[in-house]
C-alpha cells in the first residue's frame, strides 16, 4: 500500500515532484513501512520528498489500484503546516502546477489523482489503472 499527498496552495495549484528514479511528475508519496499508520506514512513521505510538514488530518480524495503492479494507493488533499519546497534524495525538481499543467506534465494515472484531490469530491474517487492509463 502506498500514500500520496497533494499539497494545494492558496492559488489552487498542486505541488508536484519530479522523481529522481524515473523522471516522472507525480504528487509526493510512497510505500508504508510496517509499523507506520497511514497518517504517519503520509506525513513522512511528503516531508522526505518536499521538506514540507503537512497538517493532519488530511482529506482522503481517492483510492487507486495499479492493476499491473498490484499496489493500492490512498491519495490525500493536504495543507502545508511549515517548510519550503526543497528537492532531496528522491526529488529532482518541484513545481506548483495548475490543473492544465498537471494534465500536461503527469501520466494520466497520476494526473487524475491530483485532479481528484483538487476537486476534493465526496465520496473519494475509486479508480484503477495500468501504471500509466486509467482502465
Amino acid at each position: 500500500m502506498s500514500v500520496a499527498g497533494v499539497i494545494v496552495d492558496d492559488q489552487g495549484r498542486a505541488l508536484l515532484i519530479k522523481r529522481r528514479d524515473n523522471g516522472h511528475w507525480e504528487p509526493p508519496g510512497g510505500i508504508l513501512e510496517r509499523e507506520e499508520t497511514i497518517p504517519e506514512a503520509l506525513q513522512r513521505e511528503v516531508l522526505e520528498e518536499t521538506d514540507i510538514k503537512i497538517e493532519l488530518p488530511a482529506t482522503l480524495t481517492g483510492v487507486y489500484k495499479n492493476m499491473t503492479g498490484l499496489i493500492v494507493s490512498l491519495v490525500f488533499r493536504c495543507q502545508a503546516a511549515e517548510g519550503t519546497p526543497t528537492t532531496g534524495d528522491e526529488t529532482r525538481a518541484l513545481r506548483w502546477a495548475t490543473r492544465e499543467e498537471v494534465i500536461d506534465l503527469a501520466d494520466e494515472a497520476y494526473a487524475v489523482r491530483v485532479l481528484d484531490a483538487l476537486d476534493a469530491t465526496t465520496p473519494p474517487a475509486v479508480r484503477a489503472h495500468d501504471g500509466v492509463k486509467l482502465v
Side-chain angles (χ1 to χ4, degrees):
M1 176 178 285
S2 72
V3 292
V6 178
I7 302 170
V8 180
D9 71 5
D10 294 337
Q11 298 172 27
R13 299 175 303 174
L15 184 63
L16 297 181
I17 65 163
K18 188 171 190 178
R19 297 176 52 98
R20 283 196 189 275
D21 60 356
N22 62 20
H24 293 182
W25 287 97
E26 301 176 3
I31 304 294
L32 276 76
E33 294 177 2
R34 182 184 277 291
E35 290 80 25
E36 282 181 312
T37 66
I38 292 169
E40 288 170 347
L42 177 65
Q43 195 164 59
R44 175 185 56 78
E45 284 289 347
V46 171
L47 184 63
E48 283 178 0
E49 296 181 1
T50 67
D51 209 29
I52 293 177
K53 184 174 182 181
I54 58 166
E55 293 180 4
L56 292 176
T59 303
L60 177 67
T61 56
V63 179
Y64 307 85
K65 182 179 180 189
N66 181 327
M67 300 300 283
T68 21
L70 301 178
I71 297 171
V72 173
S73 182
L74 305 176
V75 178
F76 296 83
R77 181 181 171 120
C78 302
Q79 281 193 289
E82 59 187 65
T84 301
T86 307
T87 58
D89 294 341
E90 301 175 36
T91 309
R92 183 181 305 166
L94 299 129
R95 179 175 176 169
W96 290 103
T98 64
R99 293 180 67 84
E100 295 75 24
E101 292 168 330
V102 168
I103 293 166
D104 289 339
L105 292 169
D107 289 337
E108 180 182 36
Y110 291 91
V112 73
R113 298 172 191 206
V114 177
L115 299 177
D116 287 343
L118 288 174
D119 293 341
T121 57
T122 304
V126 178
R127 302 182 190 273
H129 62 89
D130 65 5
V132 177
K133 297 280 187 185
L134 294 176
V135 294

